[in-house]
Amino acid sequence: MLDYANFDEVFGSPVGNPYNKQALQEIETFRKGSDGVLFIDRVLNALGLSKAKSYPPKNDTALRNLHKTLCEADISTHHRLSIFYYLLLDTDGHDNRAQFSTRFANASGVPKNYQIFMKGLWLLDHHKFERALEHVTHPSLTPDFADEIVTTFARNNPTLALAYFHTVQPVLKTHDALELLFNALALASVTEALAFSRTHPAAVREQLFRRLVSSVLDAQAGDDTARRAIELVGLSLDADEEAWLETYLLEGDGKRLKNAQDTLLMRKLATGRYTEAVKEKGLGGRWGVVIEGLKSGIGGRTL
C-alpha cells in the first residue's frame, strides 16, 4: 500500500516541478476567468485549508510544504488523497509521466467516485466544460458544489447547465445560480421555464415569471425570438400569472420593454378575449387593421 506521507511515493522521485512559469500563468488565467475562485480553492476552503493559499505551488519547496500541510491536516484520508489526486492531474504529461494520477489513485485506494468528482472539478477549473459534464453528472456522485457548477456552466455554455440540472436535479440555494439556470431554461423553452417557476414559492415564482417575460421581449429580433414570443402569448396561465403579466407590462418595469403593448394584445387574441382587444387604444399599423376587422366581425356583440 502506498505511503501517502512519503512525498516521493506520492509525486515520484525526482518529481520535477510541473508548475513552471507557463503552467502558473495558465492556472491564474483560469482563476481570473472563474471570478477569482477555482473549484480546488472551494475544496480547500470547505476542508478548512483556505488560509494556506498554496495552490498552485510556485516551486518544489511550495509543493513539499503543501504535501506536508495536507498530511498534517485534520481531514479524512479520502479527502487528503483526493487533493493529491487533483494535484497529480496537473503533473500528467510532465516529464513523460502520462496517467501518473491514475496510477497513484489505484495504488493509494482513492475511491472511484472521489476520482470521478475531482477529475470533473479539475476539468471545470481548466475550462474543459463538455468533458467536465461527463464527470460531474456521474450517478455515483452527490450534488456537491451544485450552485457553483450550474453557475460555471451557465456562464460558459447554457446548454451544459441545462444538461447538468436535468441529470442531477440539484436543489439550488443561491439566487445567482437560480437566475442563471432560469435564463438558460427560458432560452431553450418558454413552456419549460414556466413549469420550473411553478415549483417555487409565490414570491420567487412571480420574480421568475417576470424574468421569463423580460427574456422574451428584451431579446434581439429574429426567428428564435419570434418563436418564443408566440410561445409566450399562447401559454396556459393561471389567474395569478395572467394578473402578473398584465401588471408587469402595464405598470411595472415591463411597460418599457419593446412590444409590451403588442404582447398584451396578442395575449387577448390568443385567449379569445376579442371584446377586450377591440377596446385597445392607440394601436396603428397592422394592429389597427386587425382591430377594425374584429370590430366589424363582432358587430358590437359581446363575446
Side-chain angles (χ1 to χ4, degrees), residues 106-123:
N106 293 336
S108 63
V110 180
K112 193 65 178 178
N113 59 330
Y114 279 69
Q115 293 181 48
I116 293 169
F117 187 56
M118 293 304 288
K119 181 66 175 289
L121 298 186
W122 187 89
L123 290 167

Side-chain angles (χ1 to χ4, degrees), residues 1-2 81 85 88 99-112 115:
M1 188 72 173
L2 181 146
L81 294 176
Y85 174 68
L88 288 168
Q99 299 303 310
F100 193 79
S101 59
T102 301
R103 292 198 293 273
F104 165 80
N106 293 336
S108 63
V110 180
K112 193 65 178 178
Q115 293 181 48

Side-chain angles (χ1 to χ4, degrees), residues 110-300:
V110 180
K112 193 65 178 178
N113 59 330
Y114 279 69
Q115 293 181 48
I116 293 169
F117 187 56
M118 293 304 288
K119 181 66 175 289
L121 298 186
W122 187 89
L123 290 167
L124 284 169
D125 282 343
H126 288 75
H127 293 190
K128 298 178 181 181
F129 300 115
E130 292 188 3
R131 289 180 59 198
L133 179 67
E134 298 174 11
H135 287 73
V136 297
T137 56
H138 195 275
S140 68
L141 303 181
T142 56
D144 292 323
F145 299 119
D147 287 70
E148 293 84 356
I149 290 173
V150 165
T151 298
T152 299
F153 279 141
R155 287 176 175 170
N156 292 280
N157 188 332
T159 301
L160 298 182
L162 294 181
Y164 175 79
F165 175 76
H166 288 310
T167 304
V168 178
Q169 291 292 303
V171 177
L172 300 180
K173 301 175 182 178
T174 65
H175 176 76
D176 286 348
L178 177 62
E179 191 173 87
L180 286 168
L181 175 66
F182 190 74
N183 289 346
L185 283 168
L187 282 173
S189 169
V190 173
T191 302
E192 185 178 355
L194 176 66
F196 177 79
S197 72
R198 288 172 172 172
T199 65
H200 291 78
V204 176
R205 183 182 161 198
E206 183 178 359
Q207 292 176 9
L208 292 176
F209 182 81
R210 291 199 302 265
R211 190 165 192 84
L212 173 60
V213 176
S214 174
S215 75
V216 175
L217 300 189
D218 208 26
Q220 287 188 335
D223 291 343
D224 187 60
T225 298
R227 173 191 61 78
R228 295 172 68 230
I230 292 172
E231 190 178 358
L232 175 66
V233 298
L235 289 172
S236 178
L237 303 180
D238 63 23
D240 287 336
E241 291 160 346
E242 202 74 61
W244 294 339
L245 178 65
E246 295 204 7
T247 300
Y248 180 59
L249 294 182
L250 286 174
E251 304 170 14
D253 293 339
K255 68 181 180 181
R256 295 193 294 270
L257 294 171
K258 57 187 177 183
N259 299 322
Q261 192 174 12
D262 285 357
T263 299
L264 286 174
L265 177 60
M266 290 173 65
R267 176 65 185 171
K268 290 172 182 176
L269 295 176
T271 54
R273 291 179 287 163
Y274 303 120
T275 301
E276 292 181 41
V278 299
K279 294 178 181 178
E280 294 290 340
K281 305 293 184 182
L283 293 172
R286 66 185 186 280
W287 289 122
V289 175
V290 172
I291 295 304
E292 288 304 316
L294 281 173
K295 287 179 179 178
S296 299
I298 294 173

Side-chain angles (χ1 to χ4, degrees), residues 6-23:
N6 186 314
F7 179 88
D8 291 338
E9 288 196 37
V10 175
F11 292 99
S13 179
V15 61
N17 184 20
Y19 299 103
N20 55 34
K21 183 177 180 180
Q22 180 181 350

